[in-house]
Amino acid sequence: MRSYDFSPLYRSAVGFDRLARQLESAARSSQENGWPPYNIETTGEDAYRIEIAVAGFSADELNIEAKENLLTVTGKKATEATPADNDGATKRTFLHRGLAERDFERRFQLADYVVVKGAALANGLLTIDLKRELPEALKPRSIEIATGSTLIEGEAKKAA
């Protein structure tokens, strides 16, 4: 796998260090093992949904954390107590083990002003709903256009 050196961006550009970190992060994350699989879909204007296949995990074994522009989903499988041979409990013996029950951590870089609205676990899918919520100061607003006479009257009042 190729690795890219983004350090020249840090030296020659001011204020683009976040972009360089995102590029480095994307290069590192492309080398991940790809487990667990996930879908990202748009569910409306400025609304998104992430679905992660977490078969075999319970809600207690999953953790979702949103910090700044990073959403981190982790799964830690609870260790099963091995039954003692003398208590009469049967030990599980697998002929084939295809369900991966290993711990995982999946990270998603979120755009500015994207917040987590909720999460649900059903049928082995963890669903996380996201929405972009712009602050009022950033939303477009209509500016009233003053006519010539209104503008002059307004300036006269300021001068008085």
Side-chain angles (χ1 to χ4, degrees):
M1 187 90 203
R2 293 182 187 165
S3 66
Y4 299 99
D5 181 21
F6 296 107
S7 58
L9 289 175
Y10 291 116
R11 289 193 303 261
S12 62
V14 177
F16 290 97
D17 53 336
R18 180 170 173 234
L19 175 64
R21 279 196 306 271
Q22 286 179 336
L23 290 171
E24 285 177 349
S25 168
R28 276 195 306 269
S29 66
S30 66
Q31 298 172 4
E32 288 181 3
N33 63 2
W35 193 85
Y38 64 93
N39 294 330
I40 300 176
E41 66 177 304
T42 180
T43 58
E45 187 175 337
D46 293 332
Y48 308 94
R49 177 173 291 143
I50 299 173
E51 291 179 322
I52 306 173
V54 291
F57 283 85
S58 68
D60 298 342
E61 298 167 329
L62 298 170
N63 184 40
I64 302 170
E65 180 180 297
K67 183 180 178 186
E68 295 177 6
N69 289 359
L70 185 67
L71 175 68
T72 306
V73 180
T74 55
K76 282 192 158 284
K77 198 67 178 149
T79 56
E80 294 181 19
T82 309
D85 293 335
N86 58 1
D87 70 354
T90 58
K91 226 178 183 181
R92 294 175 72 185
T93 305
F94 295 95
L95 298 178
H96 170 74
R97 190 162 189 164
L99 294 177
E101 293 182 347
R102 60 183 181 261
D103 296 347
F104 70 89
E105 180 177 83
R106 187 58 92 171
R107 296 173 183 252
F108 300 94
Q109 190 71 35
L110 301 178
D112 291 336
Y113 311 113
V114 172
V115 295
V116 177
K117 297 307 273 181
L121 178 64
N123 300 325
L125 287 178
L126 175 63
T127 304
I128 304 168
D129 289 319
L130 308 166
K131 182 149 180 74
R132 180 188 320 260
E133 294 181 348
L134 287 176
E136 288 297 322
L138 295 178
K139 290 182 180 176
R141 58 189 175 103
S142 180
I143 308 298
E144 184 179 334
I145 301 173
T147 61
S149 62
T150 310
L151 185 60
I152 294 170
E153 289 172 10
E155 288 179 2
K157 288 180 184 177
K158 287 182 188 176

